[in-house]
Amino acid sequence: MRWVSRAMAASVLSWLILLAGWSGSAAARDHRQNAPGAFDFYVLSLSWSPSFCASAAERGNTSRSQQAQCGGRPFAFVVHGLWPQYEHGFPGYCERPAPRLDRRIMSSMLDLMPAPGLIYSEWDKHGTCSGLGARAYFETVRKARAAVKVPAEFLDLEAPKSIAPDAIEEAFIKDNPGLSHSAIAVICDRTRLSEVRICMNKDLQFRACEEIDRRACRRDQVVLPPMRGG
């Protein structure tokens, strides 16, 4: 029994040492958690607006965000957001409460992000983690979008298009020098293209991002619904 007790004690001690080590590493990972400006790179998320609108219609979503984006204007790719990222994971809501976003800044972004609610929520969740003021953050969003050329085949889609996710990546890579397969991920739902996510460093140069790439769509084909009015 004494031998068993000593064995159990050794086992418990080992477990406690392991737990302490895990807690220490977790604390190290959390040291900058949600600290504004303390991140590794950005993800520019470009949403295929017709897919968003199709999904919203199927759900019976009549929110203001849905109405703003899915009205008569023929949107194609729109900016979902510019998201600060860690190499593993990402920060969010880095200032609570978030500094109030000036309505004039919101209005200035409607050409890229065609829903006021989206702009406000992106500022609260992601913009506050950039370490930038609201005006500088949305100027960075605009610069990031300008750094990416959307292939011509996606600019005026008049009929549904079925395409392999790899072919979407290839089209973006062909039109954007320096972009590689390790820096872009195509995201889908059960049938449709949802988003194209492109990784950039803080200087808005393309860079690899393995964790984002691992979340990419694995389907053989995805459908792009046509632009509204198409």
Side-chain angles (χ1 to χ4, degrees):
M1 290 295 294
R2 180 178 299 177
W3 179 86
V4 172
S5 298
R6 288 178 179 175
M8 291 179 63
S11 177
V12 170
L13 180 61
S14 297
W15 182 83
L16 290 173
I17 291 172
L18 179 63
L19 179 61
W22 179 87
S23 299
S25 63
R29 287 195 301 271
D30 291 345
H31 176 70
R32 60 176 183 169
Q33 182 70 29
N34 298 333
F39 63 96
D40 298 313
F41 64 98
Y42 286 116
V43 168
L44 175 66
S45 178
L46 301 176
S47 171
W48 182 248
S49 182
S51 290
F52 168 81
C53 295
S55 295
E58 290 171 357
R59 297 193 304 270
N61 184 347
T62 58
S63 67
R64 288 185 178 181
S65 178
Q66 187 270 342
Q67 293 172 8
Q69 187 173 161
C70 304
R73 291 185 62 185
F75 291 110
F77 278 110
V78 299
V79 175
H80 182 175
L82 183 68
W83 305 332
Q85 300 282 303
Y86 303 135
E87 294 296 345
H88 301 287
F90 56 89
Y93 300 103
C94 294
E95 295 185 56
R96 291 179 180 269
R100 185 174 180 84
L101 180 62
D102 189 304
R103 184 175 181 83
R104 290 170 296 182
I105 298 176
M106 180 278 294
S107 296
S108 74
M109 296 302 297
L110 287 171
D111 60 320
L112 299 184
M113 307 171 72
L118 169 65
I119 297 169
Y120 285 119
S121 65
E122 288 296 302
W123 165 246
D124 289 353
K125 183 174 182 179
H126 300 289
T128 57
C129 298
S130 68
L132 302 171
R135 188 171 300 279
Y137 171 70
F138 284 105
E139 286 175 354
T140 303
V141 174
R142 189 169 292 279
K143 290 177 183 177
R145 174 61 186 86
V148 175
K149 181 179 180 181
V150 173
E153 64 193 275
F154 305 121
L155 293 179
D156 192 20
L157 193 65
E158 297 182 350
K161 182 182 182 70
S162 183
I163 186 172
D166 284 349
I168 298 174
E169 288 193 7
E170 289 289 354
F172 273 85
I173 290 168
K174 180 181 178 181
D175 284 1
N176 291 274
L179 184 63
S180 67
H181 284 288
S182 61
I184 182 172
V186 172
I187 309 300
C188 62
D189 62 15
R190 288 179 298 175
T191 58
R192 292 184 286 250
L193 169 69
S194 298
E195 298 183 351
V196 171
R197 296 178 181 174
I198 297 174
C199 300
M200 301 173 156
N201 61 29
K202 292 183 180 182
D203 295 327
L204 305 182
Q205 301 297 310
F206 303 131
R207 58 98 79 188
C209 49
E210 294 182 2
E211 186 171 280
I212 304 302
D213 194 42
R214 284 198 295 268
R215 302 173 192 164
C217 180
R218 304 303 179 194
R219 298 191 178 279
D220 293 333
Q221 298 277 310
V222 292
V223 175
L224 279 69
M227 296 164 61
R228 297 185 68 80

